[in-house]
Every structure is written in C-alpha cells, then in structure tokens.
Amino acid sequence: MAVSCRSRVDGGAVWHEVCHKEQEVAYLSAAENDVICEINKVRTNPKAYINYLKEERAYYHGLLIKRPGKIPILTREGRAALEVCIAALEEATPAEALLPDENLCQAAGLLAAEQAKTGAMGHVCADGRTLKNRILQFCGDKYMQMAENISYGSWDARSIVIRFLIDDGIPGRGHRINLMNSSYTHCGVAMAKHPIYRYVCVIDFAAY
C-alpha cells in the first residue's frame, strides 16, 4: 500500500503525519485513521505534543478529572502522573511515524469485534488466542516484535492517545512505551462500540 508524508501546521507546531488517499485505506474508519495520525503526532514531535498535555492541567481536581459536560473520571495518581508524562516527553527522542497495515487491523479487529459482542476486556480472545496468535493468523510470521494497547470508554483520538501517554496507575508506563517505541514500524487499529464501557479501541504495534 502506498503512503505519503506531509507536513501540517496545527496549534503553532508542524506535524509530520502519515496520510493516505481514501481508496487506499478503505479498511480504516475515519476514527481509526485519526488514532494513527494522533499517535504519529506525538511520535514525530513529542515536545510539541506537550502543549496538549498542558491543557489537561485545568481539568484535574485532586484525583478527579472534570471536563465540562463529561462524567468525572477518578484517577489513581491525580495530576502527578500528568506531570511525569510531560517530563518524559521533554526528554523523548522523536520516532518515525507508524505505517498502517491492513492485516494488523484485522488482528486488532478480531478482538474488538468479539468484545463488542461479549462485553469482555483484556488481550486474550474467548478461545484463548493471544496477540501473537492473532498476528500470526492474519500477518503470518513477518513480524518479530509486537505489542498491544487497548482503550475503553472513548472514541476521540486525542483522548485515547493522551490516556495512554499518561498511563495513570500503571507503574511501568507500558502503554506510553508502546506508543513511543522507535522499534515499531507498523500498526493496526480497530474500534467498536462496547456494551459496558461504550467504546473499545485496539491498537496493535509490530516490527519486522
């Protein structure tokens, strides 16, 4: 699949995004494509992305995140996790943009579709298939490295990415590490409605 890169100015920063012609990404919904572009924003220009994180400060009230018109979110660490994230992005080395892979999207989509029906959570299918099993099923053995992030509750690309970056309550900040890992070259995204948590977004990362 052919892809191209372009530079775009947003919020005073120049972002290098991986862009696609509509017919070349028929397997991605607009929301799924937005998630890939949002991930590539922070990967290619982590310092500029800090501006979005600083905007989050206003919503913290103790352990609660209170956004106008939204249900308050209870965090484990409060604003401390946000500040740790900002400091980490200050030191982060830019990484190459991720390229979408239709087969990775199918691997992610299998799990998202199942959880949309069952209301389950987690990285393992009901029949026991793991991330590795799903990627082998749809991609063969071309990928040697792989990881998976799963978000519940949001359909908005920026909210999903910021939540992974902050990684509240996760000691190792594994979701942030996956997003920023320069070893990964490709990704697949699948989003669906979830019967309990409203939405599920599965992101599979891979490298040769």
Side-chain angles (χ1 to χ4, degrees), residues 41-99:
K41 277 187 174 185
V42 69
R43 281 175 66 88
T44 60
N45 200 341
K47 283 187 170 62
Y49 205 88
I50 289 172
N51 291 327
Y52 295 137
L53 292 171
K54 288 180 177 178
E55 293 174 357
E56 295 291 304
R57 287 170 169 164
Y59 303 126
Y60 279 82
H61 300 269
L63 294 180
L64 289 176
I65 299 175
K66 297 181 180 179
R67 292 186 176 87
K70 303 290 185 180
I71 297 174
I73 299 172
L74 178 63
T75 68
R76 296 180 182 180
E77 301 174 67
R79 187 171 146 177
L82 172 65
E83 299 302 332
V84 168
C85 180
I86 290 172
L89 291 189
E90 285 280 8
E91 301 298 323
T93 300
E96 293 293 324
L98 295 171
L99 299 177

Side-chain angles (χ1 to χ4, degrees), residues 112-119 152 155 190-201:
E114 178 181 288
Q115 294 188 359
K117 293 179 180 178
T118 65
Y152 297 93
W155 195 258
M191 302 174 71
K193 291 186 177 181
H194 194 281
I196 299 174
Y197 300 103
R198 298 182 66 199
Y199 306 110
V200 56
C201 175

Side-chain angles (χ1 to χ4, degrees), residues 98-119:
L98 295 171
L99 299 177
D101 181 308
E102 183 172 6
N103 298 125
L104 284 174
C105 289
Q106 291 174 320
L110 178 68
L111 185 63
E114 178 181 288
Q115 294 188 359
K117 293 179 180 178
T118 65

